[in-house]
Amino acid sequence: MYSVYAHRGVSAMGAALEVLRNACVEGSEPTEVQMRDAMLYTMNHPPGIKVSDPVTIRFFKKETCEAKPTAQGYHCKFDVQVASANLGASMHNTFSMGDFYVDKETGRWNRRPPF
């Protein structure tokens, strides 16, 4: 009996911590790692397109983000160098800014497509 209640308590506490974590993430700008991961995911999973040659990030450095988010998310500047056998991926080397937001369903940071 005790282990069942303890398990429920742990589950409830885990859920509460997840809600708290998401609330904290939504209230602050993304970290360099979150921005890099969001950009990498966006480049390798564009909507409606299958990426045959995965894109990698050779270098990523966060510069600044605007203090207050816009309706599109946090507008941030960064330096990036991407690599891929896909020549179209090199266009991402010309972007030095983007909008980052927290996905409500996954709780993960995403980057809005630049085009």
Side-chain angles (χ1 to χ4, degrees), residues 30-46:
T31 66
E32 184 172 301
V33 171
Q34 290 167 328
M35 288 172 62
R36 181 187 182 283
D37 290 348
M39 188 167 179
L40 188 60
Y41 183 83
T42 301
M43 290 187 293
N44 284 306
H45 300 91

Side-chain angles (χ1 to χ4, degrees), residues 6-91:
H7 178 69
R8 286 182 185 164
V10 170
S11 296
M13 184 168 45
L17 288 174
E18 184 66 17
V19 169
L20 185 59
R21 183 187 70 80
N22 288 339
C24 292
V25 168
E26 291 177 13
S28 61
E29 69 185 44
T31 66
E32 184 172 301
V33 171
Q34 290 167 328
M35 288 172 62
R36 181 187 182 283
D37 290 348
M39 188 167 179
L40 188 60
Y41 183 83
T42 301
M43 290 187 293
N44 284 306
H45 300 91
I49 300 172
K50 182 176 181 347
V51 174
S52 58
D53 296 311
V55 180
T56 60
I57 295 179
R58 288 186 178 167
F59 173 81
F60 188 89
K61 177 70 177 153
K62 176 182 176 180
E63 291 182 358
T64 62
C65 292
E66 292 181 7
K68 293 185 180 182
T70 66
Q72 296 294 307
Y74 281 92
H75 188 73
C76 302
K77 294 181 181 180
F78 51 84
D79 288 327
V80 67
Q81 183 182 27
V82 301
S84 176
N86 179 343
L87 293 177
S90 65
M91 72 175 182

Side-chain angles (χ1 to χ4, degrees), residues 53 65 93 102 106:
D53 296 311
C65 292
N93 289 325
V102 176
T106 64

